Amino acid sequence: MKKKILVLGGAHVDRRGRIFGDTAEGASNPGFWFEEAGGGGFNAARNLARLGYDVTMISPRGGDPTGEMVSEAADIAGVTDRPFVFLDRKTPSYTAIIERDGNLVIALADMDLYRMFVPRRLSIRSVRDAFAATDFILFDANLPQETLAAIVARANALGKPVGAIAISPAKAVKLLPCMQGLDYLFLNEAEAAALTGERPNDPAHWPSLLGDIGLRGGVLTRGQRELIAFAEDRVVALQPADIKDVADVTGAGDSLAAGVVAALMRGLSLSEAVREGAAAAAVTVQSPNAVNDKLSAELILETLPLVPEARILH
């Protein structure tokens, strides 16, 4: 029987403008426009479904064509979609400008609807049932702070493992009140700095700094530099795969989170799990989409040789 994963958080539309040539700041840049369903939680959910898990997604949605696009994307990926639909509101959106090399220039997040996912919605019968039936709970920081705390409290009360995706420095700080209840947090250095108020010269110090604010485990990415992962008394470093043909980095962190969670649920060690997460990210950045529809457990295994072995720091 497939293991079940419950995902709560962002499921919206991603709009991305891609610049053709060198970026000219403060000027018009030739390029093209592209949009697809996205959101940190939703990207991870679709990746997890493609990796063979029974995934349920819960998020607010507007009663508009954009919301229908998100629902269709869930259907295609095999995710069980359980949105709270607000017929008189628009579905949230994320709009980004991407340079020719695939890196982000700037982005704007119109996420006001997520304020409507208040803690009392967790008391709805179908949501309570989803929490009770799942094997792992994953959420992102798009939701209100009090809702994030309520999700963690519910997961802890049920004895369910729980992980979070930080999303951005501004949103990551909403996790501070519930940090001690998290089993894993997926974040980057900017988000870690927002949480701790520190930016160490030696990345090996990140686990200690994050542990000081109560975090028990996490995976901290550093672009193309070594990521740092920790859980219990184990700390590892891993160099991401060197991918020459990067199409778009959007969704790389979400796919890494999905790959790590999927591997941990199969009983793999932290070192093995971050390698599989890095392989999932490598697959994703080779696609122009935030979720590579070719992702599979088999493709991750084929990609693993591109990912170095993790270094155990202690």
Side-chain angles (χ1 to χ4, degrees):
M1 180 181 295
K2 289 184 179 179
K3 287 192 174 181
K4 296 182 178 181
I5 299 176
L6 173 63
V7 183
L8 306 100
H12 49 252
V13 64
D14 272 347
R15 299 186 179 97
R16 299 198 294 283
R18 188 67 175 266
I19 297 171
F20 286 145
D22 293 335
T23 303
E25 294 185 10
S28 176
N29 288 264
F32 71 94
W33 201 250
F34 171 76
E35 69 176 32
E36 64 173 340
F42 191 45
N43 291 341
R46 287 181 288 165
N47 284 316
L48 285 162
R50 287 192 164 95
L51 293 176
Y53 290 85
D54 183 348
V55 182
T56 296
M57 180 81 207
I58 298 176
S59 68
R61 199 84 42 81
D64 54 8
T66 298
E68 294 173 7
M69 175 196 297
V70 175
S71 296
E72 182 178 354
D75 218 25
I76 291 170
V79 173
T80 300
D81 193 28
R82 294 286 182 265
F84 300 128
V85 178
F86 297 85
L87 295 176
D88 60 339
R89 294 177 180 267
K90 63 179 182 178
T91 299
S93 65
Y94 170 83
T95 303
I97 302 298
I98 308 293
E99 291 185 299
R100 180 174 58 180
D101 61 5
N103 287 312
L104 177 69
V105 177
I106 195 168
L108 186 149
D110 180 1
M111 306 287 178
D112 189 61
L113 185 62
Y114 291 133
R115 293 188 302 106
M116 306 298 287
F117 194 154
V118 293
R120 62 181 174 81
R121 292 191 174 273
L122 299 178
S123 299
I124 295 172
R125 176 68 178 273
S126 60
V127 178
R128 296 201 316 267
D129 289 347
F131 268 84
T134 197
D135 297 298
F136 192 99
I137 296 162
L138 180 66
F139 66 94
D140 71 32
N142 278 307
L143 303 181
Q145 180 170 295
E146 60 273 19
T147 305
L148 303 179
I151 290 170
V152 173
R154 176 72 59 86
N156 292 168
L158 293 170
K160 308 284 186 178
V162 57
I165 300 173
I167 298 296
S168 72
K171 293 178 180 179
V173 295
K174 294 189 291 182
L175 294 165
L176 283 168
C178 59
M179 193 67 64
Q180 294 181 351
L182 289 175
D183 293 295
Y184 286 95
L185 176 60
F186 298 93
L187 73 171
N188 60 32
E189 279 196 301
E191 293 152 358
L195 286 167
T196 63
E198 303 279 353
R199 193 179 279 270
N201 292 325
D202 184 351
H205 292 157
W206 276 123
S208 175
L209 291 170
L210 290 166
D212 287 344
I213 60 172
L215 186 61
R216 298 196 297 265
V219 180
L220 186 148
T221 57
R222 305 171 59 241
Q224 279 304 110
R225 296 169 295 164
E226 281 188 323
L227 64 78
I228 303 294
F230 65 101
E232 299 174 343
D233 295 328
R234 179 56 56 92
V235 179
V236 304
L238 179 80
Q239 178 64 45
D242 183 15
I243 302 299
K244 304 299 183 184
D245 52 343
V246 172
D248 195 328
V249 298
T250 305
D254 306 326
S255 60
L256 183 139
V260 171
V261 169
L264 290 172
M265 291 187 69
R266 298 197 335 264
L268 271 62
S269 68
L270 180 64
S271 298
E272 295 168 318
V274 293
R275 277 195 79 214
E276 292 208 1
V283 170
T284 298
V285 300
Q286 294 176 75
S287 166
N289 300 320
V291 173
N292 190 331
D293 59 12
K294 295 180 180 178
L295 183 70
S296 65
E298 293 74 23
L299 185 53
I300 284 182
L301 290 178
E302 292 175 15
T303 307
L304 271 180
L306 300 177
V307 183
E309 295 287 339
R311 294 192 303 118
I312 297 176
L313 301 184
H314 64 76

